Amino acid sequence: MVAETRNSASELVPDDEELVERSLAGDAEAFEVLVKRYGRTVYNVAGRFFRQPEMREDITQETFLKAYQALHTYRRGASFERWLMKIAVNACYDELRRMKRRREFSLADLAEDERVWLEEALAKPAFELFEQQQQSEDAAAVAEKLLATLSPEDRLVMLLYERDGLSTAEIGDLMGWSRSKVKIRLFRARRALDKRLRRLLRAARPTSAAKARAEGPPSRRAEGR
Amino acid sequence: MTCRDVRRHLMAWARIGAEDRAEREAVRAHLRQCPSCEEEARLWALRRMLLQATRTDVVDPDPSLYARVSAQVRRQRARPVFPFWEAVRAFSASIALTATIVLILLVGVNIYVHQQIPSGRRDFVSALMERNFSEAERLVFAGEEELNQDSVLGALVAESRESR
Ligand SMILES: [Zn+2]
């Protein structure tokens, strides 16, 4: 802006509120500072729901576009970052709703490696599974297929509550849902997911070969079942 | 440790992981000799493993993204926006939501009441029948944060009150 009377220090690092005001007054560069400041955060919020970089980029674009259009609704004194995060999570939710939902999920939908992963996991005592920390691409692929059968709401609450440990109040605040609605969704999401998992568990009763692999020393993974 | 205790711990572990050492050992001992809890534990452990596997590391986006986003916002500035239609769309969506919730509530209460009523739940049901929703809700949420059938029903009751 031309009529700038602030000292040089605050001009070097303008705070969010000031940047919002300048943007509303038509200063395009001010909004670009906000994009640079929070672009990474938004991109990683999208990463909570989507693995593909293109998808995360689309979500980031959409989030800032929506934020720009709704800038007049941002209230002074509130955290801009938090306000932006709500828009980002809702953009993810919209994308989940647009995605095609898988009708069914069975053992036959798993690739060979994924099936081997599952059988090896199930051959261990449940207690050990709780302790397991290592990340596995196969597990991620199985999870992806399983989650794709859930409704967008169920998927969202499963990830935010069960995986990321957010509270029902926090999710309600992010989504603009009442706490009751979050609880209902959670209950249904768990029931839906567990139903599919139970079916999977029944189908994937570990074979003796998988048991031997899990108990014995590590052996070749691609071994026939 | 009873099966009930074990399952309560497991439910929490599935979400936040196991922390307390003594608690872990007690659960482990129980699971060794209780096939039914072992079965349930396996399900929850699998759910946890799968959900945790979908976590991704925090990464930097492609550096060109910022410029692309800014360019798109600049293009948007030229176009007028019609918040009116957005409002119309949101309004009709909220009507549909309310109608669905009321329907679910009616069906749900009907099913619940026609099921056998466990002793100790009669207060809740009679409060519900007398349309004393605040009392029903109080009974349901009293000191209980876990998600069970009652808490969900209570949430449905609360939801129907909010949307009226
Ligand atoms: Zn037991």
Side-chain angles (χ1 to χ4, degrees):
Chain A
M1 294 291 283
V2 193
E4 195 58 59
T5 52
R6 287 160 201 272
N7 63 43
S8 57
S10 81
E11 204 166 324
L12 277 177
V13 193
D15 65 20
D16 296 348
E17 249 174 55
E18 187 186 332
L19 289 167
V20 169
E21 267 171 37
R22 286 204 218 162
S23 305
L24 284 169
D27 180 353
E29 277 167 34
F31 194 75
E32 282 161 24
V33 176
L34 289 170
V35 171
K36 286 201 188 95
R37 194 172 283 175
Y38 294 113
R40 185 175 186 269
T41 316
V42 171
Y43 183 81
N44 282 292
V45 165
R48 286 175 183 248
F49 302 95
F50 307 105
R51 298 170 75 79
Q52 312 85 326
E54 312 79 50
M55 196 85 112
R56 299 188 195 184
E57 290 193 347
D58 287 350
I59 298 282
T60 310
Q61 297 254 20
E62 199 181 322
T63 300
F64 280 106
L65 269 182
K66 282 187 173 154
Y68 188 78
Q69 286 163 1
L71 214 51
H72 59 281
T73 67
Y74 163 74
R75 282 170 192 271
R76 268 192 85 109
S79 154
F80 178 78
E81 187 177 16
R82 187 146 185 85
W83 180 80
L84 192 65
M85 288 316 109
K86 283 188 197 178
I87 297 176
V89 173
N90 279 280
C92 292
Y93 176 54
D94 289 343
E95 185 55 40
L96 288 176
R97 284 198 291 187
R98 279 191 292 266
M99 281 166 66
K100 210 173 151 228
R101 198 168 148 189
R102 267 182 106 99
R103 289 198 150 266
E104 270 300 321
F105 175 73
S106 73
L107 210 52
D109 296 314
L110 296 184
E112 182 59 27
D113 282 353
E114 293 160 15
R115 206 188 299 203
V116 170
W117 172 83
L118 184 67
E119 285 181 356
E120 285 185 0
L122 296 181
K124 290 174 192 151
F127 187 84
E128 278 178 40
L129 298 185
F130 271 112
E131 307 274 278
Q132 202 143 319
Q133 288 298 330
Q134 99 223 28
Q135 288 282 20
S136 140
E137 277 302 312
D138 293 326
V142 176
E144 202 67 42
K145 288 174 184 173
L146 197 63
L147 288 170
T149 63
L150 296 182
S151 75
E153 293 86 356
D154 287 358
R155 203 166 160 170
L156 184 105
V157 294
M158 261 296 143
L159 294 176
L160 292 182
Y161 184 88
E162 288 285 342
R163 183 195 64 186
D164 297 344
L166 265 65
S167 69
T168 52
E170 283 170 315
I171 297 171
D173 182 46
L174 278 173
M175 298 307 298
W177 293 347
S178 68
R179 257 184 94 196
S180 320
K181 176 168 176 174
V182 178
K183 282 188 167 194
I184 294 165
R185 290 285 24 140
L186 259 172
F187 175 78
R188 291 189 181 145
R190 270 197 195 146
R191 199 175 49 181
L193 191 63
D194 287 358
K195 194 175 136 203
R196 288 161 176 82
L197 282 174
R198 261 180 235 281
R199 213 185 299 143
L200 196 65
L201 281 178
R202 271 199 304 274
R205 288 253 176 259
T207 59
S208 46
K211 266 210 168 100
R213 274 200 299 273
E215 281 156 13
S219 56
R220 283 171 296 131
R221 293 201 70 219
E223 218 167 67
R225 299 190 306 117
Chain B
M1 219 179 232
T2 65
C3 290
R4 199 188 148 91
D5 295 334
V6 167
R7 287 173 194 218
R8 213 181 51 236
H9 288 310
L10 290 174
M11 201 180 239
W13 289 9
R15 182 164 172 242
I16 51 166
E19 273 160 14
D20 187 280
R21 206 188 166 86
E23 183 184 299
R24 278 172 41 193
E25 282 316 308
V27 170
R28 176 180 220 158
H30 182 96
L31 292 181
R32 281 213 189 100
Q33 43 89 30
C34 179
S36 124
C37 283
E38 168 75 15
E39 189 80 12
E40 204 65 6
R42 171 155 306 189
L43 178 79
W44 291 342
L46 183 62
R47 184 171 79 196
R48 174 178 168 80
M49 283 171 85
L50 290 173
L51 287 174
Q52 292 298 327
T54 67
R55 270 181 191 277
T56 51
D57 294 331
V58 172
V59 289
D60 288 323
D62 187 297
S64 72
L65 179 65
Y66 305 103
R68 277 182 281 142
V69 170
S70 293
Q72 211 184 17
V73 171
R74 271 175 197 267
R75 278 198 297 278
Q76 187 69 31
R77 277 157 56 84
R79 263 180 261 154
V81 193
F82 295 106
F84 173 70
W85 291 112
E86 194 44 40
V88 168
R89 198 194 56 76
F91 182 62
S92 35
S94 80
I95 288 178
L97 180 69
T98 309
T100 313
I101 288 164
V102 168
L103 190 67
I104 290 168
L105 177 70
L106 289 175
V107 173
V109 167
N110 201 31
I111 291 169
Y112 188 88
V113 169
H114 282 85
Q115 279 170 353
Q116 55 183 14
I117 301 166
S119 58
R121 298 281 156 73
R122 294 218 169 81
D123 291 347
F124 167 72
V125 174
S126 56
L128 206 59
M129 297 304 282
E130 289 159 26
R131 312 186 73 78
N132 187 350
F133 289 128
S134 57
E135 176 62 8
E137 197 186 346
R138 193 191 62 75
L139 287 165
V140 158
F141 283 118
E144 163 94 72
E145 173 58 26
E146 252 174 50
L147 288 164
N148 53 38
Q149 197 75 46
D150 291 351
S151 137
V152 172
L153 191 62
L156 276 166
V157 171
E159 179 91 63
S160 77
R161 290 169 66 214
E162 276 165 26
S163 55
R164 259 188 303 169

